[in-house]
């Protein structure tokens, strides 16, 4: 089997299939960014703005929130990959997460 599971006798994806996969991935990343932005802004930034710039407390809160968000995303991704590998009878891990 070759890189990404393409080759090795398997049919090559068409350009339309590659484009569709890229569009789906872009939609997923956009949705994740929107959820991250909304969640962390709701937790860390008060609705009654007092100054134009973030203060230190808000900045620290946002930094921690983003770090925790990505940590959870990676754990969920790993768990889902492991479950998919168990169903298929193959090894867990590999390509398909956010690669961080």
């Amino acid at each position: 089997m070759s890189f990404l599971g393409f080759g090795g006798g398997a049919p090559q994806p068409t350009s339309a299939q590659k484009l569709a996969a890229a569009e789906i991935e872009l939609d997923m990343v956009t949705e994740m960014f929107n959820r991250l932005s909304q969640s962390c802004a709701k937790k860390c930034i008060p609705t009654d703005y007092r100054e134009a710039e973030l203060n230190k407390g808000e900045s620290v809160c946002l930094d921690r929130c983003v770090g925790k968000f990505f940590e959870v995303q990676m754990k969920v991704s790993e768990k889902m990959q492991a479950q998919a590998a168990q169903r298929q009878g193959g090894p867990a891990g590999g390509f398909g997460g956010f690669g961080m």
Side-chain angles (χ1 to χ4, degrees):
M1 182 182 275
S2 69
F3 185 64
L4 299 179
F6 302 129
Q12 295 290 322
T14 64
S15 293
Q17 289 171 325
K18 290 178 184 178
L19 182 61
E23 288 175 348
I24 290 169
E25 185 172 359
L26 179 62
D27 288 343
M28 288 172 43
V29 170
T30 301
E31 175 63 27
M32 184 180 71
F33 174 78
N34 289 337
R35 283 187 289 124
L36 167 72
S37 298
Q38 291 172 354
S39 175
C40 291
K42 184 178 179 182
K43 290 178 185 176
C44 299
I45 301 174
T47 55
D48 58 335
Y49 298 107
R50 296 191 181 108
E51 49 194 66
E53 301 294 322
L54 293 173
N55 64 37
K56 184 169 179 149
E58 293 166 341
S59 295
V60 169
C61 180
L62 286 169
D63 186 51
R64 288 181 180 162
C65 181
V66 169
K68 288 178 183 179
F69 188 91
F70 279 114
E71 184 178 337
V72 168
Q73 290 296 322
M74 290 303 296
K75 286 181 180 181
V76 169
S77 176
E78 290 169 3
K79 191 74 154 174
M80 290 177 68
Q81 287 177 3
Q83 289 176 351
Q86 281 181 337
R87 284 193 300 266
Q88 295 176 353
F95 192 80
F98 289 99
M100 297 178 98

